Amino acid sequence: MPIANSSLKHGFQETSKAEWKSPKEIKKEYPSASFIENNRVMFNIKGNKYRLIVRINYDYGMLWVRFIGTHAEYDKINAAKI
């Protein structure tokens, strides 16, 4: 589990300090990112074993972590509403 924790921590740190102004900027840096309704973005972590979902307000440069978990846990949630 230490590798998983390290990967998740790294993903959280990277997204937390980002200053993206548009989805295009995210795609440039993270080509595998998926865009979900309600300004949510899903990032694959550690070869798609884990998922990180954030909600972004591009105008104010704010980011909220909405979900961090395994792919199996992700399959049980509604990513657009979490």
Side-chain angles (χ1 to χ4, degrees):
M1 194 64 144
I3 293 173
N5 288 337
S6 174
S7 297
L8 291 171
K9 185 176 179 180
H10 177 73
F12 172 77
Q13 290 172 338
E14 288 296 308
T15 55
S16 294
K17 67 182 181 181
E19 296 181 11
W20 298 305
K21 301 292 183 200
S22 71
K24 187 176 182 178
E25 289 182 9
I26 295 171
K27 263 307 200 192
K28 185 177 179 182
E29 194 170 341
Y30 295 97
S32 67
S34 298
F35 296 90
I36 306 166
E37 61 186 285
N38 297 325
N39 289 330
R40 285 161 170 75
V41 183
M42 188 271 298
F43 297 93
N44 295 313
I45 298 174
K46 198 172 183 273
N48 201 24
K49 186 171 182 175
Y50 298 94
R51 298 260 171 112
L52 168 66
I53 299 175
V54 298
R55 181 174 180 258
I56 300 175
N57 182 316
Y58 297 102
D59 294 333
Y60 292 99
M62 297 180 74
L63 180 142
W64 298 271
V65 173
R66 304 304 298 153
F67 174 83
I68 299 174
T70 65
H71 194 143
E73 291 168 330
Y74 170 85
D75 288 340
K76 296 176 183 175
I77 65 163
N78 182 336
K81 297 197 185 241
I82 195 164

